[in-house]
Amino acid sequence: MIKPIVGRGSPRALAACDDCGREEIVPCDYLARRGGTAEPNEGQVVKKLGSRGWVKSSGNLRCSLCAARGRALVQAREGKVIMTAKDVVKEVAAETLQPTPKQERLIILALENAYDDQAKRYRGCQTDKTVAEELGGAIRAGWVADLRARYFGPDGGNEEIEAIRASIGSLKSDFDKGILELRGEYCAAADALAKRLDAVCIAVGPRAGKVAS
Ligand SMILES: [Zn+2]
C-alpha cells in the first residue's frame, strides 16, 4: 500500500508491505487528481522500491523479505532447493546490496587500467570477473559490469579473445596452404615413380606389360 505523507519537507510517500506491514519512506512526485487532491506518483514509487528489492505483482506490494520468501516458496513447491529463513535473508542481502561510494571509486579506477576505451573491450585477459576478483573486498562482478557499461563501454570481450580468434583464422589459412603444398609434393613424387616404372617397362620389353602412363 502506498500512502501520501502530508506535511512540510520534500514530497514523500509511505510504502507498506501488504504481507508483513514493513514500512519505507520514498521521495516522490505528486500527481494532481480530480477534486484538487494530489496523490503520490505510484509508478515512480514502485520503481524506486524495486531497486530496494520490493515487488508489486497482482495488486500486492511486497517488501524485499516477503518477495524473497515468496520466491523461495515457489522454488520449494517446484521441487527445487528448499530455503531456510537464513538463506532467504542472505538472498535478500545479496540482491539488494549496492557498492559503497568508496567501492565504486575503486572499481572505476581499476576499469581505467583494465578497459581499452578505443577498442571498446578489456585489455589482456581482463573481464568484469577478474577486475572484481583483483579488487577483492567483497566487490561483485555485477557491480563492475554496471559501472563498466555506464562509464566505459560494452562487454566487447578482451585482447586475449581477439588474439585467439586471430590465431584460429591464421591456423586455418596455414592449413589450407599446407594442404595445397603437400598435394603438389605427393603428385610430383607419384609422377617421378610413374616415369621410373615406364623406364623399367621399356627396358624389359613387351612381356613386362603395359607402360604405366
Ligand atoms: Zn514484508
Side-chain angles (χ1 to χ4, degrees):
M1 188 174 27
I2 294 163
K3 284 187 282 189
I5 295 179
V6 191
R8 271 184 275 168
S10 53
R12 292 160 302 161
L14 184 75
C17 173
D18 289 328
D19 280 5
C20 72
R22 189 175 138 198
E23 291 178 336
E24 264 188 55
I25 291 169
V26 185
C28 69
D29 301 329
Y30 272 71
L31 302 173
R33 298 275 155 198
R34 258 183 229 168
T37 57
E39 276 172 30
N41 180 343
E42 202 174 305
Q44 191 191 33
V45 174
V46 170
K47 205 174 161 203
K48 284 186 176 180
L49 286 168
S51 68
R52 303 182 194 175
W54 287 53
V55 174
K56 184 166 182 175
S57 75
S58 46
N60 285 317
L61 187 62
R62 290 199 175 83
C63 73
S64 51
L65 265 172
C66 292
R69 203 174 294 135
R71 281 195 298 276
L73 277 174
V74 170
Q75 284 185 330
R77 220 174 288 139
E78 287 172 355
K80 292 181 195 155
V81 264
I82 294 169
M83 293 176 102
T84 63
K86 226 181 184 174
D87 293 333
V88 171
V89 171
K90 232 196 247 165
E91 191 191 279
V92 172
E95 275 179 23
T96 56
L97 205 61
Q98 295 293 319
T100 62
K102 167 101 182 158
Q103 284 171 322
E104 283 201 6
R105 289 204 305 273
L106 283 172
I107 293 169
I108 289 169
L109 215 61
L111 281 169
E112 290 286 1
N113 285 324
Y115 197 82
D116 187 332
D117 275 329
Q118 274 190 326
K120 293 279 166 222
R121 54 145 170 74
Y122 273 110
R123 294 197 168 94
C125 311
Q126 305 266 35
T127 62
D128 295 334
K129 196 163 169 256
T130 61
V131 170
E133 279 168 2
E134 270 172 35
L135 289 169
I139 283 176
R140 288 151 188 274
W143 299 347
V144 177
D146 282 348
L147 291 168
R148 191 248 313 127
R150 208 180 318 155
Y151 298 119
F152 293 85
D155 181 12
N158 62 31
E159 229 171 315
E160 178 72 356
I161 293 173
E162 238 175 63
I164 294 172
R165 286 219 178 98
S167 295
I168 292 175
S170 70
L171 208 61
K172 275 187 185 149
S173 77
D174 281 357
F175 182 75
D176 289 343
K177 230 170 80 189
I179 290 278
L180 275 178
E181 276 171 16
L182 217 57
R183 204 183 142 180
E185 276 173 34
Y186 275 92
C187 287
D191 284 349
L193 284 173
K195 270 184 197 141
R196 264 175 68 195
L197 185 61
D198 288 350
V200 174
C201 289
I202 289 161
V204 170
R207 271 179 303 152
K210 271 165 70 184
V211 166
S213 58

